[in-house]
Amino acid sequence: MALVLSAGGMYAAWEVGVWKALRERFQFDLIVGTSAGAWNAWMIAGGISPDELTREWQDPASATIMQLGLHRTGIMRPEALHEKAHELFARFQPRIPFGLTLAEVPRLRPLLVRGPDVTWRHLAATASIPMCFPPVEIEGKQYLDGGLLGALPTWAAEEMGATHAIAVNAINIFPFRLLRMVFQPRRPSPALKIFPIEPSEKLGPLRDGVVWSSSNIERWVEQGERDGNRAATSITM
């Protein structure tokens, strides 16, 4: 069974609550994520506890990652994001198979990077939102947020060997549905059995997805746990 965590910016705090509910019921053989979901997945694969992961999201330092600063490719300064990627890479290493996805630019090609090959640069690139942060150069190529080419990378879980996946999608609101129509995401084969979980209630306006709020984080984690508990009753192997 694979756990797949979507992109979502600050909304990805909701994924923490979902995972908190699911981990009591399911044994995950591998974990895949993109963007903020990749950061969640990296910490989960590295053995973090639900309470510790919640504290990561509640840390006011999270507010400093999205720092305004104009440059030729966007509006956000990359220094704090890169510093956080360095920190996460130093603190955690996967204990179960892990993968994250990137978007190679300008070719718009999706890329799966697996645990042993992940560096801090991959962690930075997977969260480098297009038109916000600059691309990250890795081995002579430029990469951005994997969510650009598919916010819920179930295909990557199948490529890593999964036959069943719980797909946790934090962003089901209109702008992201439109993005899926513009950039057709790579899809898994029909052989992959997918159990989707999405927020039962709207997490908030688009602004909340990029601006840190302690009260929002607390509310989203609690809602995620409710949604995870509710969804778990319908997941059968």
Side-chain angles (χ1 to χ4, degrees), residues 70-88:
L70 288 174
H71 50 84
R72 64 184 180 86
T73 58
I75 61 171
M76 296 287 180
R77 296 176 56 184
E79 291 85 0
L81 182 141
H82 289 190
E83 182 179 344
K84 185 64 177 181
H86 265 293
E87 177 197 326
L88 291 177

Side-chain angles (χ1 to χ4, degrees), residues 125-138:
T126 195
S128 292
I129 303 168
M131 296 183 290
C132 291
F133 296 105
V136 177
E137 182 173 337
I138 304 172

Side-chain angles (χ1 to χ4, degrees), residues 9-95:
M10 295 298 170
Y11 295 145
W14 169 82
E15 298 172 352
V16 178
V18 176
W19 170 63
K20 185 176 181 180
L22 296 180
R23 69 188 290 273
E24 301 295 334
R25 297 173 170 86
F26 303 99
Q27 179 70 42
F28 294 108
D29 304 302
L30 62 94
I31 184 166
V32 177
T34 197
S35 195
W39 283 16
N40 278 338
W42 178 259
M43 290 184 278
I44 292 169
I48 199 168
S49 72
D51 288 344
E52 289 171 327
L53 187 52
T54 300
R55 285 195 293 272
E56 284 287 324
W57 279 94
Q58 290 176 331
D59 184 351
S62 299
T64 67
I65 293 175
M66 306 289 282
Q67 294 185 22
L68 285 174
L70 288 174
H71 50 84
R72 64 184 180 86
T73 58
I75 61 171
M76 296 287 180
R77 296 176 56 184
E79 291 85 0
L81 182 141
H82 289 190
E83 182 179 344
K84 185 64 177 181
H86 265 293
E87 177 197 326
L88 291 177
F89 183 76
R91 289 173 56 200
F92 301 98
Q93 288 295 313
R95 301 178 185 180

Side-chain angles (χ1 to χ4, degrees), residues 179-229:
L179 189 65
R180 288 199 295 270
M181 290 188 284
V182 175
F183 297 102
Q184 292 291 323
R186 182 174 171 182
R187 300 186 184 281
S189 77
L192 181 66
K193 187 170 184 180
I194 299 173
F195 303 95
I197 302 177
E198 294 187 344
S200 58
E201 301 174 11
K202 186 177 178 181
L203 297 178
L206 190 59
R207 178 182 180 275
D208 287 352
V210 296
V211 177
W212 180 85
S213 161
S214 178
S215 60
N216 280 342
I217 298 299
E218 183 178 3
R219 176 170 60 87
W220 292 337
V221 172
E222 291 175 355
Q223 181 180 332
E225 189 168 6
R226 292 194 303 271
D227 291 342
N229 281 320

Side-chain angles (χ1 to χ4, degrees), residues 165-184:
I166 297 179
V168 182
N169 183 20
I171 47 175
N172 59 352
I173 57 178
F174 173 74
F176 299 100
R177 294 200 301 270
L178 179 62
L179 189 65
R180 288 199 295 270
M181 290 188 284
V182 175
F183 297 102
Q184 292 291 323

